[in-house]
Amino acid sequence: MSYTLESKQLEAIEDLLQHDLIDMGVTCVILIDMAGNIIANLDSGERKHDIYSLAALAAGNFGAVSAMAKIIGEEEFSLLFHKGKKENIHFSRVAEDFLMVSIFGNDVSLGFLRLKVAETIKAIRSILEEITGQ
Amino acid sequence: MAFINPKTKEVQIKIVYYGPGRGGKTTNLEYIYSKFNHRIKSEMVSLKTHGDRTLFFDFLPFDIGKVMGHTLKVQLYTVPGQVKYNATRRVVLRGVDGIVFVADSMKVVREKNLLSLKNLHENLKDYNRSIFRVPLVLQYNKMDLAEQGIPLLSYERLEKDLNTQLKVPSFPASALRGTNVAKTLKKIISMTLPSLQRNLKKEVVN
Ligand SMILES: Nc1nc2c(ncn2[C@@H]2O[C@H](COP(=O)(O)OP(=O)(O)OP(=O)(O)O)[C@@H](O)[C@H]2O)c(=O)[nH]1
Ligand SMILES: [Mg+2]
């Protein structure tokens, strides 16, 4: 089994991530699927992260947290966020099968980030609905 | 499920090494990492206990060449083999494109191979996938132990135990020495390629 997106869908997604998140001060955004594949990734050019490892760990982490939610009778946890000294990381589900990982510094507030992420996800959802599978 | 990116001309596939605890899954990845490190740009990620048992997974990404004009990015994972880690094992299996089942050839762990294969079957079912349809290769590991006089299951015995119904490619191997490690990997990659063809062709036409 495999799936693909059209170039123009990917371009639209990347434009969104650039305008709504990177241009707003977010350091790095990665859109991945639940298998850990990278769909899109953008960064502000300040720092280069090992995005393949990040994607694998984020997908695993999200899967583990979802499984924990089920065990305690929750559908899912709505806020997945880790705070560091300088960098923070935020996870958000996009539709059924995708996950958005945002890395941002302390100059961006969590409230603002969540708002921006929610807007972006809404827009990405409508782009992804045209997904072409096999 | 493999992802084909027409913009970057990349294909990402996920291969998972499965099998009983201490069977040699992590050793397979360590061998690949040391042997092909000129092609591997990042570090191997290992989430493990103090005793070097896999706790969540090992992860090793690398580029393996081109298919129909696309760079093939293979992501190798191992699962924790210990029975108690089934919840995390299931998480790692999500979206898998191909599986290497690493069986332990030692006679004393015969039963563990059978249980682990049964567990794979069940975990795949949870994702509505069938063990008979997922690309799968069996690896009978630790064959080198014969030299030390340790009682091993014969190739024929292992085939009967594990491969009677599956009828998939199988290799005797020694992950520690690297015997048939690359061969196993090549085989599983080649078995996942047909599932990419249709989406790749469509794209080449466009
Ligand atoms: N002699 C011999 N020993 C091996 C071989 N492969 C693995 N081992 C040893 O077996 C032990 C367990 O190997 P691992 O690769 O950690 O096993 P694993 O399947 O990852 O185990 P879990 O992470 O618990 O699921 C280690 O001490 C290895 O050195 C082999 O081909 N021959
Ligand atoms: Mg291991």
Side-chain angles (χ1 to χ4, degrees):
Chain A
M1 277 197 296
S2 65
Y3 74 100
T4 183
L5 293 172
E6 286 171 23
S7 281
K8 63 173 197 293
Q9 288 178 303
L10 287 164
E11 265 156 37
I13 290 172
E14 286 175 8
D15 282 351
L16 266 171
L17 296 178
Q18 180 70 42
H19 289 130
D20 290 5
L21 295 166
I22 301 296
D23 290 352
M24 295 295 152
V26 173
T27 328
C28 174
V29 193
I30 315 171
L31 183 70
I32 65 177
D33 65 21
M34 295 301 180
N37 294 315
I38 297 172
I39 312 301
N41 80 289
L42 282 106
D43 61 69
S44 59
E46 287 162 46
R47 212 167 296 164
K48 282 272 168 268
H49 297 294
D50 176 0
I51 54 159
Y52 283 93
S53 299
L54 266 176
L57 291 164
N61 181 55
F62 192 82
V65 171
S66 304
M68 280 192 276
K70 280 210 189 82
I71 289 172
I72 65 164
E74 282 289 325
E75 189 118 347
E76 69 177 8
F77 298 118
S78 54
L79 178 61
L80 297 176
F81 167 67
H82 298 295
K83 184 160 177 44
K85 267 198 196 113
K86 288 197 194 119
E87 297 284 338
N88 311 289
I89 191 161
H90 177 274
F91 308 90
S92 199
R93 201 159 61 82
V94 183
E96 200 50 51
D97 290 312
F98 300 92
L99 184 62
M100 198 161 87
V101 184
S102 315
I103 299 164
F104 59 103
N106 292 333
D107 48 334
V108 176
S109 80
L110 178 60
F112 179 74
L113 180 98
R114 289 182 74 184
L115 190 76
K116 279 291 160 196
V117 164
E119 282 174 18
T120 313
I121 284 177
K122 219 169 163 190
I124 292 179
R125 260 198 191 125
S126 58
I127 298 170
L128 285 176
E129 268 156 24
E130 309 155 34
I131 197 161
T132 45
Q134 174 176 303
Chain B
M1 204 161 56
F3 175 59
I4 300 164
N5 189 323
K7 214 171 153 253
T8 55
K9 298 265 179 247
E10 282 174 5
V11 181
Q12 298 169 59
I13 63 170
K14 177 173 185 174
I15 307 286
V16 174
Y17 284 70
Y18 208 95
R22 283 203 216 279
K25 301 176 289 298
T26 299
T27 309
N28 263 273
L29 261 63
E30 281 168 349
Y31 178 81
I32 293 163
Y33 187 46
S34 67
K35 183 84 185 177
F36 300 100
N37 67 7
H38 55 285
R39 286 204 213 168
I40 303 172
K41 282 165 228 136
S42 52
E43 299 272 297
M44 178 165 153
V45 174
S46 289
L47 306 181
K48 59 189 175 187
T49 65
H50 285 305
D52 268 354
R53 307 294 302 271
T54 303
L55 182 60
F56 199 161
F57 58 78
D58 302 298
F59 172 69
L60 185 61
F62 72 110
D63 298 358
I64 198 147
K66 297 237 174 207
V67 258
M68 296 173 81
H70 289 63
T71 307
L72 186 56
K73 291 193 166 295
V74 181
Q75 333 248 36
L76 303 182
Y77 289 78
T78 73
V79 298
Q82 293 181 82
V83 175
K84 62 182 171 190
Y85 293 142
N86 196 46
T88 47
R89 191 157 49 236
R90 202 185 298 131
V91 168
V92 179
L93 216 44
R94 182 155 185 178
V96 66
D97 296 300
I99 298 170
V100 174
F101 184 86
V102 181
D104 194 324
S105 303
M106 289 196 294
K107 243 183 191 150
V108 288
V109 292
R110 183 180 167 204
E111 198 67 23
K112 283 194 181 159
N113 293 327
L114 296 167
L115 286 175
S116 177
L117 194 61
K118 191 161 164 269
N119 171 257
L120 171 61
H121 182 65
E122 281 159 7
N123 280 337
L124 284 170
K125 257 202 291 195
D126 275 357
Y127 288 115
N128 291 317
R129 313 264 313 255
S130 160
I131 197 170
F132 295 103
R133 302 191 58 183
V134 176
L136 175 67
V137 170
L138 304 182
Q139 184 188 72
Y140 305 141
N141 193 31
K142 305 193 183 176
M143 287 295 185
D144 60 284
L145 288 175
E147 288 167 23
Q148 295 175 39
I150 292 171
L152 298 184
L153 298 159
S154 66
Y155 180 76
E156 291 69 30
R157 179 75 260 167
L158 285 156
E159 279 285 284
K160 256 202 186 124
D161 273 3
L162 306 170
N163 208 8
T164 307
Q165 289 175 36
L166 291 170
K167 298 186 173 59
V168 295
S170 62
F171 301 94
S174 166
L176 201 60
R177 293 190 185 166
T179 318
N180 278 346
V181 168
K183 224 178 189 168
T184 308
L185 178 60
K186 263 188 209 144
K187 191 71 193 175
I188 192 62
I189 290 170
S190 73
M191 285 168 73
T192 60
L193 295 184
S195 72
L196 305 174
Q197 301 287 350
R198 207 200 311 174
N199 270 325
L200 276 176
K201 270 194 202 122
K202 192 166 62 191
E203 199 205 303
V204 171
V205 170
N206 280 341

Coordinates of all heavy atoms in Angstrom, one line a residue, chain B residues 7 9 17 41 49 57 66-67 91 101 104 114 128 132 145 152 155 158 171 178 194 203 205:
Chain B
K7 N 6.9 16.2 -5.1 CA 7.6 17.5 -5.1 C 9.1 17.3 -4.8 O 9.9 17.9 -5.5 CB 7.0 18.4 -4.0 CG 7.0 19.9 -4.4 CD 6.2 20.8 -3.5 CE 6.8 22.1 -3.5 NZ 7.5 22.5 -2.3
K9 N 10.4 14.4 -4.9 CA 10.8 13.1 -5.6 C 11.4 12.1 -4.6 O 12.5 11.6 -4.9 CB 11.8 13.4 -6.8 CG 11.2 14.3 -7.9 CD 10.6 13.4 -9.0 CE 10.0 14.2 -10.1 NZ 8.5 14.1 -10.2
Y17 N 11.4 -4.6 12.1 CA 12.0 -5.9 12.6 C 11.2 -6.3 13.8 O 11.1 -5.6 14.8 CB 13.4 -5.7 12.9 CG 14.3 -5.6 11.6 CD1 14.3 -4.5 10.8 CD2 15.2 -6.7 11.3 CE1 15.0 -4.4 9.7 CE2 15.9 -6.6 10.1 CZ 15.9 -5.5 9.3 OH 16.6 -5.4 8.2
K41 N 22.9 9.4 7.3 CA 23.3 10.8 7.7 C 23.1 11.0 9.2 O 23.7 11.9 9.8 CB 22.6 11.8 6.8 CG 23.2 11.9 5.4 CD 22.3 12.7 4.5 CE 22.2 12.0 3.1 NZ 20.8 11.9 2.7
T49 N 16.3 0.0 27.7 CA 16.5 0.0 29.1 C 18.0 0.0 29.5 O 18.8 -0.1 28.6 CB 15.9 -1.3 29.7 OG1 16.7 -2.4 29.2 CG2 14.4 -1.5 29.3
F57 N 11.5 1.5 20.7 CA 12.0 1.0 19.3 C 13.4 1.5 19.1 O 13.9 2.4 19.8 CB 11.0 1.6 18.2 CG 10.9 3.1 18.1 CD1 11.9 3.9 17.6 CD2 9.7 3.7 18.6 CE1 11.7 5.3 17.5 CE2 9.5 5.1 18.5 CZ 10.5 5.8 18.0
K66 N 17.4 4.7 -6.1 CA 16.3 5.3 -6.8 C 15.3 4.3 -7.3 O 15.7 3.2 -7.7 CB 16.9 6.1 -8.0 CG 17.8 7.2 -7.6 CD 17.3 8.6 -8.1 CE 18.1 9.7 -7.6 NZ 17.4 10.9 -7.5
V67 N 14.0 4.6 -7.3 CA 13.0 3.9 -8.0 C 12.2 4.8 -8.9 O 11.7 5.8 -8.4 CB 12.0 3.2 -7.0 CG1 12.2 1.7 -6.9 CG2 11.8 3.9 -5.8
V91 N 2.2 0.1 18.7 CA 2.4 1.5 18.2 C 3.4 1.5 17.0 O 3.1 2.2 16.0 CB 2.8 2.4 19.3 CG1 3.3 3.8 18.8 CG2 1.7 2.6 20.3
F101 N 10.7 -10.8 10.2 CA 10.5 -11.5 11.5 C 11.8 -12.2 11.8 O 12.3 -13.1 11.1 CB 9.4 -12.5 11.4 CG 9.1 -13.2 12.7 CD1 8.2 -12.6 13.6 CD2 9.7 -14.4 13.0 CE1 8.0 -13.3 14.8 CE2 9.4 -15.1 14.2 CZ 8.6 -14.5 15.1
D104 N 14.7 -16.7 16.7 CA 15.9 -17.2 17.4 C 16.0 -18.7 17.1 O 15.1 -19.4 17.4 CB 15.7 -16.9 18.9 CG 17.0 -17.0 19.7 OD1 17.8 -17.9 19.3 OD2 17.2 -16.2 20.6
L114 N 7.2 -19.0 18.1 CA 5.8 -19.3 17.7 C 4.9 -18.3 18.4 O 4.0 -17.7 17.7 CB 5.4 -20.7 18.2 CG 6.1 -21.9 17.6 CD1 5.9 -23.2 18.3 CD2 5.8 -22.0 16.1
N128 N -6.5 -4.0 11.0 CA -7.1 -4.5 9.8 C -6.2 -4.9 8.7 O -6.4 -4.8 7.5 CB -8.1 -3.5 9.3 CG -9.3 -3.4 10.2 OD1 -9.8 -4.4 10.7 ND2 -9.7 -2.1 10.4
F132 N -0.9 -12.4 6.0 CA -0.7 -13.1 4.7 C -0.6 -12.1 3.5 O -0.3 -12.5 2.4 CB -1.8 -14.1 4.4 CG -1.9 -15.2 5.4 CD1 -2.8 -15.2 6.4 CD2 -0.9 -16.3 5.3 CE1 -2.8 -16.3 7.4 CE2 -0.9 -17.3 6.2 CZ -1.9 -17.3 7.3
L145 N 25.9 -19.9 16.4 CA 26.1 -20.6 17.7 C 26.3 -22.1 17.5 O 26.8 -22.7 18.5 CB 24.9 -20.3 18.5 CG 24.7 -18.9 19.1 CD1 23.4 -18.7 19.8 CD2 25.9 -18.6 20.0
L152 N 20.8 -26.0 18.2 CA 19.9 -25.1 17.4 C 18.8 -25.9 16.7 O 19.0 -27.1 16.4 CB 20.8 -24.4 16.3 CG 21.9 -23.5 16.8 CD1 22.6 -22.8 15.6 CD2 21.4 -22.4 17.7
Y155 N 17.2 -25.7 10.0 CA 16.5 -24.9 9.0 C 15.1 -25.5 8.7 O 14.1 -24.8 8.6 CB 17.3 -24.7 7.7 CG 16.6 -23.8 6.7 CD1 16.6 -22.5 6.8 CD2 16.0 -24.4 5.6 CE1 16.0 -21.7 5.9 CE2 15.4 -23.6 4.6 CZ 15.4 -22.3 4.7 OH 14.8 -21.5 3.8
L158 N 12.6 -25.0 11.6 CA 12.2 -23.7 11.6 C 11.1 -23.4 10.5 O 10.1 -22.7 10.7 CB 13.3 -22.7 11.5 CG 14.2 -22.6 12.8 CD1 15.6 -22.1 12.5 CD2 13.5 -21.6 13.8
F171 N 15.7 -16.7 5.5 CA 17.1 -16.8 5.4 C 17.7 -17.2 6.8 O 17.4 -16.6 7.8 CB 17.7 -15.4 5.1 CG 17.3 -14.8 3.8 CD1 16.2 -13.9 3.8 CD2 18.0 -15.1 2.7 CE1 15.8 -13.4 2.6 CE2 17.5 -14.5 1.4 CZ 16.5 -13.7 1.4
G178 N 26.9 -10.6 10.7 CA 26.4 -9.9 9.5 C 26.0 -10.9 8.4 O 25.7 -10.4 7.3
P194 N 6.5 -3.3 -5.3 CA 5.3 -3.4 -6.1 C 4.2 -2.5 -5.7 O 3.4 -2.0 -6.5 CB 5.0 -4.9 -6.1 CG 6.2 -5.6 -5.8 CD 7.0 -4.7 -4.9
E203 N 2.2 9.1 -11.4 CA 2.9 10.4 -11.3 C 3.9 10.6 -12.4 O 4.0 11.7 -12.9 CB 3.6 10.3 -10.0 CG 3.9 11.7 -9.5 CD 5.1 11.7 -8.7 OE1 5.1 11.0 -7.7 OE2 6.1 12.3 -9.0
V205 N 3.5 9.6 -15.4 CA 2.7 10.0 -16.5 C 2.2 11.5 -16.5 O 2.2 12.2 -17.5 CB 1.4 9.1 -16.6 CG1 0.4 9.6 -17.6 CG2 1.8 7.7 -16.9

